[in-house]
């Protein structure tokens, strides 16, 4: 294989290696088409963002304490 810029590489069930546009077309078709793939991607991104926000909000906040006399 040449040094392609596309990082997506897949192996089909029959063992054929695909990269570039062929890999993109294969991945989107096995995931229900581009619209379904994009919908799933958007849902995953939203879930990750919300989970990260909740996780960040649940961390205890450090506060500077001072002693009162």
């Amino acid at each position: 294989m040449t040094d392609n810029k596309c990082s997506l590489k897949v192996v089909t069930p029959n063992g054929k290696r695909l990269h570039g546009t062929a890999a993109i077309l294969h991945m989107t078709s096995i995931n229900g088409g581009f619209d379904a793939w994009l919908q799933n991607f958007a849902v995953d991104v939203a879930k990750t963002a919300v989970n990260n926000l909740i996780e960040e909000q649940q961390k205890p906040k450090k506060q500077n304490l001072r002693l009162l006399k």
Side-chain angles (χ1 to χ4, degrees):
M1 278 191 199
T2 62
D3 187 25
N4 293 324
K5 302 270 186 220
C6 181
S7 60
L8 181 61
K9 293 174 179 36
V10 297
V11 178
T12 63
N14 63 2
K16 186 175 180 181
R17 286 188 270 170
L18 302 174
H19 63 276
T21 305
I24 293 168
L25 292 172
H26 178 73
M27 288 302 294
T28 55
S29 68
I30 64 172
N31 286 292
F34 182 74
D35 291 339
W37 175 84
L38 191 58
Q39 177 71 26
N40 292 337
F41 177 75
V43 168
D44 288 344
V45 169
K47 284 180 184 177
T48 301
V50 170
N51 288 338
N52 287 345
L53 177 64
I54 291 170
E55 207 174 277
E56 189 65 31
Q57 288 179 342
Q58 290 177 343
K59 287 182 183 177
K61 294 183 179 179
K62 293 182 182 179
Q63 297 177 354
N64 293 333
L65 301 176
R66 47 185 195 134
L67 183 60
L68 298 175
K69 292 184 182 182

